[in-house]
Amino acid sequence: MSTLEQPPPLEHVDEDWERALCIVAHPDDIEYGGAAAVARWTGQGKWVGYTMVTSGEAGIDGMEPDQCRTVREAEEVESARIVGVDSVDFLHQPDGILEYGVALRRVLCAEIRRHRPDIVITGNFRDTFGGRNLNQADHIATGKAVLDAVRDAGNRWVFPEQVADGLEPWGGVKAVWAFGSPDSTHGIDTTETFEKGVESLQAHKAYIDGLGWADFDPREFLEGLGRQTGQRLGVAFAAPFEVFPMGWGE
Ligand SMILES: [Zn+2]
């Protein structure tokens, strides 16, 4: 697509659901533009839970992973609280070197069986964020494993040891939504909850300071992203999602 072309309009995501589980690779993945959408939904009385596959412990160059893990988990819990999320699980998989495969599907499947969501939200897992901005390996591994784990969760003969341990199969996930995908087809209006999203990203203070981007301004960043998507949805600010229906015949 040339930069002169207008990106195509987005459809509104379905809001006819009660429970959503956000499964992402790192603390802060949701806060880079998705948290305002979460605030909208918790404000409607929906339940939203967060699952962090890693604790982002390899994310700050000047901080040892053991210390970093504690700092980033605390920042994520605070980010979540700001947007009305009080369930934050950390799966403690290794940051930076996640592998797509059965082992990852197993831990994600257990999360889905435990929380029984209608919608599962993950981050962009396409190869790029659009153009030549390459995606990161953990994001790709997580998103692919999330799609599989949603189907695994409904099959009692896949990871049957979880069922034997008392986790019932859960086949109720209607769709997986990938936030920030360059192939986004849908969006959600985040105009009313935009400020909550900014606050939620600002809560990652140690991480943002650790990046050493002297002039990174969370508000400016989120405004740019939100406005661009908002234009495609016909609102001031919006968050983009690629939607994968999980039922048949859709
Ligand atoms: Zn990340």
Side-chain angles (χ1 to χ4, degrees):
M1 188 177 68
S2 96
T3 49
L4 296 173
E5 243 174 279
Q6 289 291 329
L10 299 171
E11 281 179 56
H12 289 264
V13 294
D14 173 26
E15 288 190 297
D16 183 20
W17 49 269
E18 295 302 320
R19 296 174 66 79
L21 184 63
C22 301
I23 305 176
V24 295
H26 312 116
D28 86 2
D29 285 355
I30 299 168
E31 286 71 38
Y32 278 95
V38 172
R40 171 186 170 107
W41 294 320
T42 58
Q44 293 169 343
K46 300 183 192 304
W47 180 89
V48 181
Y50 285 1
T51 298
M52 301 292 127
V53 180
T54 80
S55 295
E57 68 274 12
I60 303 180
D61 188 62
M63 198 183 281
E64 291 288 337
D66 278 344
Q67 187 194 350
C68 190
R69 181 180 297 111
T70 310
V71 168
R72 298 204 67 191
E73 288 187 2
E75 288 187 342
E76 185 57 39
V77 167
E78 175 60 10
S79 278
R81 188 196 61 75
I82 290 165
V83 294
V85 171
D86 56 17
S87 166
V88 186
D89 296 342
F90 296 93
L91 302 184
H92 296 133
Q93 302 300 300
D95 184 21
I97 51 172
L98 285 183
E99 282 182 306
Y100 166 74
V102 171
L104 185 54
R105 282 165 53 186
R106 180 179 285 116
V107 294
L108 300 185
C109 175
E111 277 291 283
I112 294 162
R113 285 173 171 169
R114 192 171 298 126
H115 290 295
R116 305 170 79 80
D118 308 307
I119 300 292
V120 172
I121 296 169
T122 188
N124 170 32
F125 57 92
R126 298 291 184 186
D127 289 340
T128 72
F129 281 99
R132 288 177 178 274
N133 299 313
L134 285 176
N135 203 345
Q136 194 265 356
D138 289 348
H139 300 162
I140 297 171
T142 297
K144 287 171 67 179
V146 162
L147 278 183
D148 289 341
V150 163
R151 281 169 293 193
D152 298 338
N155 184 337
R156 72 173 58 253
W157 307 117
V158 175
F159 310 129
E161 70 283 3
Q162 295 175 359
V163 179
D165 281 349
L167 282 180
E168 285 299 310
W170 175 247
V173 177
K174 295 197 289 188
V176 173
W177 299 350
F179 169 74
S181 166
D183 298 331
S184 288
T185 48
H186 291 66
I188 189 73
D189 185 349
T190 54
T191 310
E192 297 284 313
T193 49
F194 179 78
E195 285 303 321
K196 292 271 180 209
V198 173
E199 242 185 276
S200 180
L201 179 53
Q202 283 167 339
H204 290 277
K205 190 173 177 329
Y207 178 68
I208 291 170
D209 289 350
L211 288 174
W213 301 343
D215 48 8
F216 177 75
D217 177 354
R219 179 183 306 276
E220 219 171 277
F221 175 85
L222 292 175
E223 271 178 9
L225 204 70
R227 189 166 287 127
Q228 218 175 17
T229 310
Q231 275 170 3
R232 298 174 63 190
L233 197 66
V235 298
F237 294 116
F241 294 92
E242 184 173 2
V243 169
F244 300 90
M246 298 310 290
W248 294 106
E250 291 181 76

